[in-house]
Amino acid sequence: CSVAGVYLTRTSAQGMTIDLAEGSRFLTLFEFLDGEPLGEDLADVETTGRGLALIHQIGEAFRGPPSLRKLELPHLLDAPLELLLSAPTMSEALRQDYEAIGGLLRDRVKSCGDLSRVECHGDCHGNNNFMTDDAAGTRIASFFDFDDAGSGFRAYDLSVYLWAIMPRTFDSPLSGAPLERWRSYVRGYRSAEGLSASDWKAVAPFVAIRNLWLLSEYAGQASVWGTQLLPTTALKKQAQLLKFWAGMDTPE
């Protein structure tokens, strides 16, 4: 359905299962979503930021059962860190590094003060929405892939796009074209929804938390994908990156 310029994909309440070699699996049929992926066009990036704000606004009117997924620190940081620390490729020295990083990030988020909660998309990194034109030629951000959706921090939902465009180096702040895209994204969000000083400050530590969460997704699949998807050398590099991101401020 299309509401205030936001397209939400729907699934049928009726489920279908298929018996496969690995067991019973659900089959879900989604509607076709027209459009093109979000690129580097600043106007489209701004429209996407506004679209996320509209999702948050729509979520305020939701009166159904509460979300079972809470995108707060236990889900985003505590459980992922515990899973990551148990990775078979995690050395004792690295374990201490990651524990320290986790503690730093937890303290930074708590130091931001009261953070607002919204119904989050959870994975709005720029590849989970298409750009389309309505009948009047106005650009619309059409969103899909709500697998990671849930109630949680507004700052986290905003941080996911910033995480996606951050340079993967140990000492490079956001600059140049990526910084302009971030500014356009925030400008679009603020055109539809307010953003408190506390939420703005918390975006930065959530960038590192998002990355740590993703690493734990790989660690949790070691029995399926193999341990060398996250080798010790990669964990060392990621620790350096996390240390740098854990100390940065939200790019203005």
Side-chain angles (χ1 to χ4, degrees):
C1 58
S2 182
V3 183
V6 180
Y7 188 94
L8 308 179
T9 56
R10 298 177 298 180
T11 61
S12 171
Q14 300 298 318
M16 178 182 293
T17 59
I18 301 177
D19 292 327
L20 299 175
E22 65 272 21
S24 181
R25 291 291 183 266
F26 285 101
L27 173 66
T28 305
L29 180 63
F30 293 87
E31 296 178 2
F32 174 75
L33 178 59
D34 197 5
E36 56 189 13
L38 176 66
E40 299 182 2
D41 182 81
L42 295 182
D44 282 353
V45 173
E46 184 172 339
T47 298
T48 299
R50 176 176 171 80
L52 181 64
L54 294 175
I55 288 176
H56 293 168
Q57 286 184 357
I58 292 170
E60 293 177 1
F62 178 69
R63 296 295 180 267
S67 173
L68 297 179
R69 179 183 284 116
K70 301 293 185 182
L71 300 183
E72 301 189 7
L73 291 184
H75 175 81
L76 297 173
L77 178 58
D78 299 340
L81 180 60
E82 182 178 352
L83 182 60
L84 191 57
L85 292 176
S86 67
T89 52
M90 178 73 71
S91 68
E92 182 57 35
L94 280 174
R95 186 172 289 105
Q96 294 178 17
D97 284 344
Y98 276 92
E99 287 177 339
I101 292 168
L104 174 61
L105 291 171
R106 191 177 297 106
D107 290 344
R108 282 207 63 189
V109 170
K110 292 180 178 179
S111 72
C112 293
D114 292 333
L115 302 180
S116 59
R117 272 88 168 166
V118 295
E119 298 300 322
C120 298
H121 178 281
D123 206 20
C124 193
H125 47 60
N127 292 325
N128 282 333
N129 63 278
F130 286 164
M131 305 307 301
T132 55
D133 293 321
D134 64 12
T138 302
R139 296 294 271 175
I140 297 176
S142 304
F143 294 84
F144 54 92
D145 196 351
F146 286 82
D147 292 1
D148 293 313
S151 300
F153 292 121
R154 182 194 309 271
Y156 174 74
D157 226 16
L158 275 165
S159 78
V160 176
Y161 181 72
L162 178 57
W163 162 83
I165 63 175
M166 283 292 298
R168 263 53 179 177
T169 56
F170 311 142
D171 57 0
S172 298
L174 193 68
S175 61
L179 178 58
E180 291 305 312
R181 292 203 296 276
W182 169 241
R183 287 170 173 168
S184 296
Y185 190 80
V186 173
R187 182 164 54 249
Y189 188 90
R190 282 177 163 157
S191 71
E193 188 69 32
L195 189 58
S196 71
S198 294
D199 287 336
W200 176 257
K201 185 179 179 181
V203 168
F206 275 122
V207 169
I209 288 172
R210 164 70 180 195
N211 202 61
L212 194 149
W213 170 86
L214 183 63
L215 291 175
S216 77
E217 291 288 289
Y218 288 112
Q221 292 295 323
S223 62
V224 179
W225 297 339
T227 60
Q228 290 310 300
L229 189 68
L230 198 61
T232 303
T233 53
L235 287 170
K236 289 180 180 178
K237 291 180 179 179
Q238 289 295 326
Q240 290 179 276
L241 184 63
L242 286 169
K243 287 177 183 177
F244 175 65
W245 282 357
M248 74 175 186
D249 294 324
T250 306
E252 293 291 344

